[in-house]
Amino acid sequence: MAQIGLELYTDIPEEVAAIKAYWRLAEDGETWEQTVAGVRAAFDLKPQELTRLVQAGATAAIIDLVCADCGGSTDVANRTEFASLIRQGNIVCSTCQLAAQQEREEAQRQAARQRRNALLQRFPVRRVDALTVDGFSLFQAVALHAMFSDPAVEDAGLTTPTSIWPKDRRWAPDNRLYDFERRLLNAEHRTVAVHPDSHPDAFVWKDDAPDGSYYLGQASYYLYGPEDDLSSRSPRLLHELNQTFREGPWPSQWHEQWRDLWDELALSYASSYLDMKLGEHNLEMKQGEGTLTALADALATFSLGQVFNFIYRATKDSAAYYLRGGVNKRQAANSTVGRISAAADRARANEWEIKSFGRPWTLPLSAIGETFFSKVMWQADMMPVARRDAIVPPHAATPQPSSLPQQAQGSPDVAAEWPAEPSDDDITDCSGCGRQIHGEGLCKQCQSV
């Protein structure tokens, strides 16, 4: 049978009586002599008044139920907690619970320090010479610009893991996310490395030590550079990239690479649109090489917006094909690829003018796609532009010395080569019509007559 001891903090008789009535047990030692409603009625107390009185007017303890760790009595805040502790039997007091929690937290902090030291040894942060844009491939330039333009990089110089970028602006297309991340990391001209402050779950651990591997999409990266402060490395690189994108000239290798990157991004976007439209009709298919080949063949002739037109109509016809019966959803979905190819072939053979669809708001471009099409290619809307009709911005080409005027080439005889500017003394009246002209004789109109 349990017993409750009280330490009172009030000497007002009515309050003391109410507190004792609240904590008075029945003869069985498990139930209460009065209900809470009965105590309130007996002392004319509102519910919040009784609660305040019980919490602030006294401390209740279970005398014959002691802490398993320190042997002290167990404090209880209310009747509900009393009943819970009685059911448990073997309990630990709040002081010992707090001490145990502090010990666990200290152990966790110690383990975190050990993990970080191990990661620092396995993945040290390096300082290298400043990166130059001329050595980048076009893909590297676009991927780095998209990755380090994220405002989160400004704080610590670390990128946001690619898998947790917001859905309305992914770093790369979802169907190429890990391929693009792996390509950036394995590029011959190394530019980024994983940082030891990445989440511990991003690394592969063996016997409480990192084995040197990590998971794509979960790691954070830092940019190579000479600065000690990682957050000061990306602004310099972004400035150089923006200047090259905006004013040129492009590095020579970019002129050979932009078509492949255009095709790759357009294909991934068309593939995502195909999945989205099939999903809207409750159809699903696993895209393989045949599907991607069919989409790439259509994109070789038509713009992305026109291929969206083919996809929209093909998925709609596949849904109708399924509803007519006789085929399952998988067969109906797989028939979409043939419809797209057939539509593109007919349009190509008949030289039809195909309406170009706009970019759907439900399928936004990735950060890499926005950077490439808008910043690099200067395409405000790439949807109606077929890759074979696309051209690079005028500033991308390096000016040839032969195309410059001799003055720009530093010729010593430039003054003799250029015609002198006409002065006011050279202005006379046309002998035919009286208009003012430079030189003597007839103006051009009179000469033509």
Side-chain angles (χ1 to χ4, degrees), residues 146-156 158 160 165 169:
M147 180 174 284
F148 285 91
S149 294
D150 180 14
V153 178
E154 298 177 1
D155 297 332
L158 304 183
T160 302
W165 279 55
R169 192 176 186 269

Side-chain angles (χ1 to χ4, degrees), residues 37 42 48 88 160 172 184 187 198 209 212 228 250 270 300 306 311 314 430 438:
Q48 59 270 26
Q88 293 178 23
T160 302
L184 179 62
S198 301
D228 291 328
W250 286 4
Q306 291 172 320
I311 293 173
C430 172
H438 288 284

